[in-house]
Amino acid sequence: MFKVLSMIPSYYLFRNVGWPRVLPMNLTLSVTYRCNSHCKTCNIWQKKADELDLVEWRKIFHSFGTSPFWATISGGEPFLRKDLAEVVISLYDICHPSIINIPTNGLLNRPIVEGVKEIADHCKRANIVVNLSLDEIGEKHDAIRGVPGNYDRALNTFQALRSLKADNLSLGIHTVVSKWNVDRIPEICEQLRTFQPNSYITEIAEERIELGTMGADLAPSYEEYARVADFLIGELDRTRLSGMGLMTKAFRLEYYKLVKRIMKEKRQVIPCYSGFASAQISPDGDVWMCCVKAHSIGNLRESNYDFKRIWNSEAAKETRQIIKKGQCYCPLANASYTNMLHHFPTLFRVGRNVAFNR
């Protein structure tokens, strides 16, 4: 935690005075658009890409150096890439991130379990977080995800992952709150927690260019989500944790409160650090400040795989100004946690809650 806190002043100065132009601490790598789920909340499986290969990813990682603290390996379904473990291991060997997060729908039991084992065994100094996506219970989950038998197959994968002996592996369950499950979140939460994941997290469904969901009717209303957030806050308040679990709880409490405000006020409630402390790379090498707008500021193939060249370009500077002026807002969880790290009132509340074990 000290490492990430020591990085905050540089990003604060970068956003407010334009110097130093540091590389992002939070990096999302979308390694594929391919997906074996056809979710009601996501149309990414319909998109095509000429995917970056392993050699190309390695070139990109070398251009980052050791700047990423937290890396998310996203998709589509990441484990549809047969070389996923090699991509992640290359990232670890070159960039040395402290946290590597991999979401999955859990359908590919053997490739997922074998891949996670290989990654965890090699990346011993990183915290490997695998989040299984479960949006409902039983056939209701299958209906949202568009795959009969998805729920049972995902649970089989979850149990198989739990049998792995890896001290650096954390297994979570992730639920997307949408109009199809918003009224049942208490029941869903109660059932999923019986599987004893290391963490249970939720994120609101939203319109994203990346997911092909712009204009889609999928999000709950503010009133519906506010009830869900209040429930989740109450559940967290009753949970007694220690160590990193207590820290995670404190940030999650702030996140649920933040999303309520963003939905109600429809603005950047706290400054957004997308394009400063966080960034995303698409499967075909486009660099985005964030996945909601998915606006390319340059392509890595066309820039000799030099991330710094794109990061310091005029296109990047122009997009940062849009973000800095608050011309966009969203409740995206990945970006929000980075934003909260750079918002001193939020950090104060997190520290206070940790200190008093609240």
Side-chain angles (χ1 to χ4, degrees), residues 94-350:
I94 297 167
C95 299
H96 311 303
S98 297
I99 300 172
I100 299 174
N101 177 46
I102 312 174
T104 177
N105 58 27
L107 289 173
L108 300 171
N109 182 285
R110 185 172 176 179
I112 293 172
V113 176
E114 291 179 351
V116 170
K117 184 179 188 308
E118 185 177 355
I119 291 167
D121 285 348
H122 184 91
C123 308
K124 292 186 180 297
R125 296 178 65 110
N127 182 17
I128 310 301
V129 182
V130 177
N131 281 320
L132 195 76
S133 298
L134 289 172
D135 294 341
E136 251 287 3
I137 308 300
E139 293 181 356
K140 290 185 173 69
H141 173 74
D142 300 348
I144 292 175
R145 290 277 165 167
V147 179
N150 187 326
Y151 185 77
D152 290 337
R153 290 164 65 182
L155 286 185
N156 287 338
T157 298
F158 182 80
Q159 296 302 333
L161 288 170
R162 290 203 48 177
S163 69
L164 296 177
K165 305 301 181 184
D167 293 337
N168 61 334
L169 176 61
S170 177
L171 297 178
I173 293 179
H174 176 275
T175 296
V176 176
V177 180
S178 68
K179 73 174 190 178
W180 292 284
N181 65 2
V182 65
D183 291 330
R184 281 181 36 81
I185 292 300
E187 293 85 355
I188 294 168
C189 177
E190 180 181 7
Q191 178 62 36
L192 295 181
R193 281 183 170 162
T194 65
F195 303 127
Q196 298 183 313
N198 296 118
S199 64
Y200 175 70
I201 59 177
T202 70
E203 184 170 9
I204 189 169
E206 58 184 318
E207 298 180 20
R208 297 188 204 169
I209 291 176
E210 178 200 25
L211 304 182
T213 54
M214 299 304 295
D217 180 20
L218 48 81
S221 67
Y222 164 73
E223 291 76 15
E224 290 172 324
Y225 182 77
R227 289 194 294 271
V228 167
D230 289 342
F231 165 78
L232 295 170
I233 289 168
E235 290 292 294
L236 280 172
D237 277 337
R238 288 189 287 272
T239 304
R240 289 292 172 258
L241 299 169
S242 60
M244 187 53 66
L246 178 58
M247 181 73 70
T248 302
K249 168 189 168 181
F251 271 104
R252 198 162 294 140
L253 282 168
E254 291 298 319
Y255 170 69
Y256 291 137
K257 295 172 185 176
L258 176 63
V259 175
K260 282 179 62 178
R261 287 192 60 190
I262 291 172
M263 291 187 68
K264 184 176 183 179
E265 299 174 26
K266 301 187 183 304
R267 65 179 182 91
Q268 280 186 27
V269 173
I270 65 176
C272 181
Y273 276 76
S274 292
F276 299 93
S278 61
Q280 183 157 341
I281 300 174
S282 76
D284 50 8
D286 280 339
V287 177
W288 305 334
M289 299 301 195
C290 76
C291 64
V292 175
K293 286 187 171 295
H295 171 71
S296 177
I297 58 171
N299 185 276
L300 286 158
R301 281 179 172 142
E302 298 169 3
S303 303
N304 197 29
Y305 307 100
D306 186 351
F307 184 88
K308 291 179 185 177
R309 185 194 301 181
I310 296 174
W311 195 242
N312 296 328
S313 67
E314 282 301 312
K317 183 178 180 181
E318 291 170 5
T319 304
R320 286 190 187 104
Q321 288 304 308
I322 293 172
I323 295 170
K324 186 177 176 180
K325 290 177 181 177
Q327 294 178 15
C328 58
Y329 64 91
C330 73
L332 183 67
N334 191 299
S336 292
Y337 285 109
T338 304
N339 297 342
M340 288 189 291
L341 272 172
H342 294 84
H343 187 243
F344 298 116
T346 298
L347 273 184
F348 173 79
R349 290 192 296 272
V350 167

